[in-house]
Amino acid sequence: GKHRNLTARAGEDRNPVLDDITGTVYFLSERDGGTFNVYQFPVDNPSQAVKLTDFKTHPVRFLSRANNGILAFTYDGEIYTMAGRAARAAARAVRLRCLPSAGVYIHMSRVTEEVWCLRHSSSNPFTSW
């Protein structure tokens, strides 16, 4: 297939997520001179990018989209969800379940805002999955 640059501009755009039903691309960008925020544009008209969040202090990270259209991302160590352009992003509580009896542990890093599931066994002390 043929590749086409949709965000040909100076600066960084990353983590694109496509809604293949509406043809909308959601992505993270540093445009507008700020930190990473969530933007969207129609796949057939990338010049119509619209800013969906307006965080100032820290970058938005780890953008994803569920099949029902809800966007999820992290900001300042919190997990947020957002449904549609008119919706406000809202922080969500997340329940993580550790299973130490099965050798499963959760590791969370506040520095990189990442979460790993780790399995401990005698042959392989910690394996990420």
Side-chain angles (χ1 to χ4, degrees):
K2 192 173 183 176
H3 299 280
R4 180 172 61 122
N5 185 346
L6 298 177
T7 60
R9 56 177 274 308
E12 190 168 355
D13 298 318
R14 63 165 71 173
N15 299 104
V17 178
L18 175 65
D19 180 336
D20 55 352
I21 294 171
T22 66
T24 302
V25 176
Y26 299 93
F27 64 104
L28 302 180
S29 180
E30 293 179 308
R31 56 184 70 207
D32 298 329
T35 187
F36 281 105
N37 274 285
V38 180
Y39 288 77
Q40 74 174 35
F41 62 76
V43 73
D44 60 350
N45 195 349
S47 65
Q48 290 186 344
V50 175
K51 189 176 191 180
L52 300 181
T53 61
D54 194 26
F55 294 109
K56 305 282 187 210
T57 311
H58 303 286
V60 171
R61 297 181 183 183
F62 309 113
L63 178 65
S64 64
R65 183 185 166 277
N67 289 338
N68 65 1
I70 296 194
L71 299 174
F73 53 88
T74 64
Y75 172 75
D76 194 20
E78 302 288 335
I79 297 174
Y80 284 75
T81 60
M82 177 176 197
R85 181 175 171 187
R88 285 188 62 140
R92 301 289 180 213
V94 175
R95 192 180 328 181
L96 300 174
R97 185 173 177 209
C98 279
L99 301 170
S101 61
V104 176
Y105 301 87
I106 303 295
H107 173 74
M108 297 172 50
S109 170
R110 291 278 295 162
V111 175
T112 61
E113 299 178 8
E114 295 174 332
V115 178
W116 299 275
C117 291
L118 302 171
R119 172 170 278 171
H120 181 270
S121 70
S122 57
S123 62
N124 194 352
F126 283 100
T127 304
S128 178
W129 43 268

